[in-house]
Amino acid sequence: MEHTVTIPKERIIILDFGSQYTQLIARRIRELHVYAEIVPYFYSMDEIIREQPAAVILSGGPSSTYEKNAPAASPEIFRLGIPVLGICYGLYQIVEAFGGTIVSAKSKEYGRAIIEIRQDSPLFRGLSDKEQVWMSHGDKVVSPPPEFIVIASSENAEIAAIESRDKKIYGVQFHPEVYHTIQGKRILENFLFEICGVGPTWNMQSFIESSIESIRKEVRDGTVLLGLSGGVDSSVTAVLIDRAIGDRLSCVFVNNGVLRKNEHVQVVERFKRHMKLNLIYVDASDRFLKKLEGVEDPEKKRRIIGREFIRVFLEEAKKIGRFDFLAQGTLYPDVIESVSTKGPSDTIKSHHNRVPEVLRLIKSGRIIEPLKELFKDEVRDLGRALGMPDEIVERHPFPGPGLAIRIIGEVTPERIRILQEADDIVVGEIKEAGLYRTLWQIFAVYLPVKSVGVMGDNRTYENVIAIRGVTSVDAMTADWACLPEDLLRRISNRIINEIKGINRVVYDISSKPPSTIEWE
């Protein structure tokens, strides 16, 4: 079986019907120190019963219940005797299951709205009579099921929330998990602590203890090989597994030729000499760059780098002698964006930790991914709880395929050199300005787009560097960072003056969605 951590007895199961906000539900609940797990809407009822959740939440989704083959929750969900909260499409599931009526709305409702609370309800305890919420729906409930009462309305949704207090079943048309629902956190608190009766028992210390126990149980007297990049995810994974099994962990740091400037020197210094991990350094840069020759498609780049990593690991494993498990610092968003294992969500991009070679190892039970249910900020919290230094914990995310997906088009040694220098200038200036920790990410992108310029009295025809800076909480959504004008001017001047081959710098002012954070 694939490795999983031991999770707290008090947990919430979220059935995913494909909403873009499903991950936010889990995040908001975890922020309240209650463990939440996302599973597909068709998750086995036997598994749900075995896990004995404190409650079930039905997520939103893009479908309409009256469509052919629309996803549907098992009716048994409502017979478990535990609280249920339906959000948007989840509300429709409740209404349909108990005999209410749903129709396509004449007036769609997307964005901010005001609800009026019509009845006293434990779900809305502590709220005002009118509250701002976030709506995103094209259908609406026109008649509630028998035994349910309407507890809130909006201008375009006369039935914006319902409840059956006896059954402990609640449904809301809006999205409490979205920040634009001003009292969304309070609504979730009410559901968890008042209606479900759970306590705030999940924290990083309990996660460490359960993870160490689970890793030891899984590995037994075996050995683990970890691909260490030096970034937050793999570094925290390394320290956590080292805490569990000690020197039976071997960390392989592969120089794939598309790292940041001087990255290989810094990683070896930090982890081998200072942190005393069993670190093996492999310079495979020529090998990776040869594989990438002539490749322009970003998905092919990711697959090539992912496959080559696995091959290097397996070769190093043979040198080590005994190798029972491969460990990865895969995070929840990596899994979600790569392939819809949780529900009917669209695939956004493949992840280098989810290439076929890795998937085969997962199926064979030889992969350990102790962070795969965590978001990035939770991993940072975990690193702090493990006593790791800020210089590691606060590092900005860096993609597994490295600069290969920040070079648009073919990856060449010259383009790598240019981008390394540009990225070093960008990050250095941001740190000097004291803004590094306020940003989620900032980096340079190489654009193979020629533009005319003038340097001195000479005409130039060179390439472009784009700068991408964003703010975010969890990387599921992100806004472009509004940086000081003088800082942008200084970065631009340095890049153009110091790096041969660049005569233009542009700044990316697109948010996620619709754009992604990385360009490829």
Side-chain angles (χ1 to χ4, degrees):
M1 290 179 61
E2 182 185 353
H3 167 82
T4 56
V5 297
T6 303
I7 56 180
K9 186 174 181 181
E10 287 191 336
R11 76 197 77 160
I12 308 299
I13 284 183
I14 302 166
L15 296 188
D16 179 18
F17 289 91
S19 170
Q20 61 180 317
Y21 303 132
T22 301
Q23 294 78 39
L24 289 179
I25 303 172
R27 280 203 39 73
R28 300 297 168 256
I29 292 173
R30 292 185 190 185
E31 287 171 1
L32 297 169
H33 302 293
V34 177
Y35 185 82
E37 175 185 2
I38 299 172
V39 300
Y41 71 90
F42 48 81
Y43 197 57
S44 163
M45 281 303 305
D46 289 340
E47 281 295 305
I48 292 176
I49 292 169
R50 185 184 65 80
E51 292 185 25
Q52 297 182 320
V56 171
I57 294 178
L58 312 178
S59 85
S63 303
S64 293
T65 56
Y66 45 79
E67 291 175 350
K68 185 179 180 181
N69 299 322
S74 169
E76 294 179 58
I77 289 290
F78 306 110
R79 296 195 286 267
L80 293 176
I82 60 175
V84 176
L85 173 64
I87 297 173
C88 198
Y89 188 81
L91 163 68
Y92 306 151
Q93 291 293 297
I94 294 169
V95 170
E96 191 166 74
F98 288 95
T101 307
I102 305 147
V103 299
S104 178
K106 291 181 180 179
S107 298
K108 315 297 184 185
E109 195 170 24
Y110 300 102
R112 292 176 178 85
I114 301 297
I115 61 166
E116 183 174 352
I117 297 174
R118 293 171 48 177
Q119 297 282 344
D120 177 62
S121 169
L123 190 66
F124 295 148
R125 193 155 292 155
L127 273 63
S128 303
D129 292 340
K130 294 184 178 181
E131 292 286 354
Q132 178 185 295
V133 299
W134 186 260
M135 294 283 194
S136 181
H137 64 98
D139 296 334
K140 69 176 184 177
V141 181
V142 292
S143 62
E147 302 180 52
F148 282 76
I149 63 170
V150 178
I151 56 175
S153 301
S154 74
E155 184 176 348
N156 290 324
E158 295 82 359
I159 302 173
I162 62 173
E163 74 170 15
S164 172
R165 204 170 301 188
D166 291 340
K167 292 182 171 61
K168 292 188 177 181
I169 298 177
Y170 297 78
V172 294
Q173 180 67 81
F174 57 89
H175 290 269
E177 71 274 22
V178 175
Y179 281 118
H180 300 301
T181 297
I182 303 300
Q183 292 290 346
K185 182 178 179 181
R186 180 63 184 268
I187 292 169
L188 292 174
E189 283 180 336
N190 287 339
F191 180 71
L192 296 171
F193 305 137
E194 300 291 332
I195 296 168
C196 302
V198 300
T201 59
W202 189 73
N203 54 47
M204 281 305 149
Q205 195 56 49
S206 65
F207 181 87
I208 290 171
E209 292 168 3
S210 63
S211 294
I212 288 174
E213 177 187 350
S214 185
I215 291 167
R216 286 173 177 167
K217 183 178 179 180
E218 182 84 5
V219 176
R220 297 186 182 180
D221 61 350
T223 56
V224 177
L225 184 67
L226 167 69
L228 180 66
S229 69
V232 178
D233 308 337
S234 65
S235 300
V236 172
T237 301
V239 172
L240 183 61
I241 296 176
D242 180 69
R243 189 78 59 90
I245 64 171
D247 60 9
R248 286 184 289 126
L249 167 68
S250 295
C251 299
V252 177
F253 171 52
V254 178
N255 183 349
N256 59 12
V258 284
L259 301 175
R260 297 180 182 98
K261 183 179 179 181
N262 296 326
E263 181 89 354
H264 61 292
V265 176
Q266 295 167 4
V267 170
V268 171
E269 179 74 19
R270 181 181 299 122
F271 290 93
K272 190 169 187 176
R273 298 180 184 173
H274 294 309
M275 298 182 70
K276 306 300 181 184
L277 290 181
N278 182 15
L279 180 67
I280 300 163
Y281 171 63
V282 182
D283 186 356
S285 53
D286 291 342
R287 173 173 169 175
F288 277 85
L289 295 184
K290 188 173 181 179
K291 292 282 186 181
L292 290 168
E293 280 181 9
V295 178
E296 297 187 0
D297 181 79
E299 288 296 284
K300 288 183 179 178
K301 293 180 192 177
R302 289 177 180 275
R303 288 194 293 269
I304 287 169
I305 291 172
R307 284 197 300 265
E308 216 52 37
F309 261 114
I310 296 301
R311 289 167 183 164
V312 171
F313 288 153
L314 295 179
E315 289 170 12
E316 290 306 314
K318 291 178 181 177
K319 296 177 186 177
I320 293 170
R322 181 180 173 184
F323 159 52
D324 300 300
F325 296 91
L326 172 67
Q328 295 191 139
T330 307
L331 303 192
Y332 210 1
D334 300 333
V335 177
I336 293 163
E337 288 192 336
S338 295
V339 60
S340 180
T341 57
K342 299 292 181 182
S345 306
D346 286 339
T347 298
I348 298 171
K349 64 186 177 185
S350 65
H351 191 262
H352 70 286
N353 284 355
R354 283 296 182 271
V355 294
E357 289 81 355
V358 172
L359 294 174
R360 283 195 291 272
L361 286 171
I362 289 175
K363 288 180 181 178
S364 71
R366 298 187 65 201
I367 289 279
I368 291 181
E369 296 179 316
L371 312 184
K372 70 183 178 63
E373 298 293 341
L374 298 184
F375 293 91
K376 176 70 80 171
D377 59 317
E378 292 176 318
V379 175
R380 296 191 198 281
D381 290 342
L382 175 58
R384 295 185 191 98
L386 288 166
M388 297 176 66
D390 281 349
E391 65 172 342
I392 297 176
V393 173
E394 297 297 336
R395 290 196 77 183
H396 286 183
F398 188 66
L403 300 181
I405 58 167
R406 292 178 179 173
I407 295 172
I408 309 303
E410 183 181 3
V411 178
T412 68
E414 176 65 5
R415 291 177 175 182
I416 294 170
R417 179 196 67 79
I418 289 173
L419 186 54
Q420 284 177 333
E421 295 294 336
D423 192 73
D424 190 58
I425 289 172
V426 170
V427 174
E429 288 290 346
I430 290 296
K431 287 181 176 178
E432 183 68 24
L435 296 176
Y436 187 79
R437 292 185 65 170
T438 68
L439 299 177
W440 178 265
Q441 244 172 305
I442 189 161
F443 55 90
V445 180
Y446 180 93
L447 306 182
V449 178
K450 296 282 188 179
S451 71
V452 174
V454 177
M455 290 186 177
D457 294 324
N458 298 319
R459 174 186 182 276
T460 62
Y461 194 53
E462 303 289 3
N463 292 289
V464 179
I465 287 291
I467 299 171
R468 176 71 158 148
V470 299
T471 58
S472 181
V473 174
D474 50 28
M476 302 307 295
T477 61
D479 290 323
W480 61 275
C482 187
L483 298 177
E485 182 181 338
D486 61 335
L487 175 60
L488 288 173
R489 182 181 292 112
R490 189 161 59 250
I491 290 172
S492 176
N493 287 342
R494 284 196 60 193
I495 289 174
I496 292 171
N497 291 331
E498 297 177 22
I499 304 174
K500 184 179 178 181
I502 299 296
N503 69 354
R504 191 175 299 270
V505 174
V506 298
Y507 189 63
D508 182 346
I509 58 169
S510 49
S511 297
K512 175 186 180 180
S515 303
T516 54
I517 295 177
E518 296 288 347
W519 277 47
E520 288 191 343

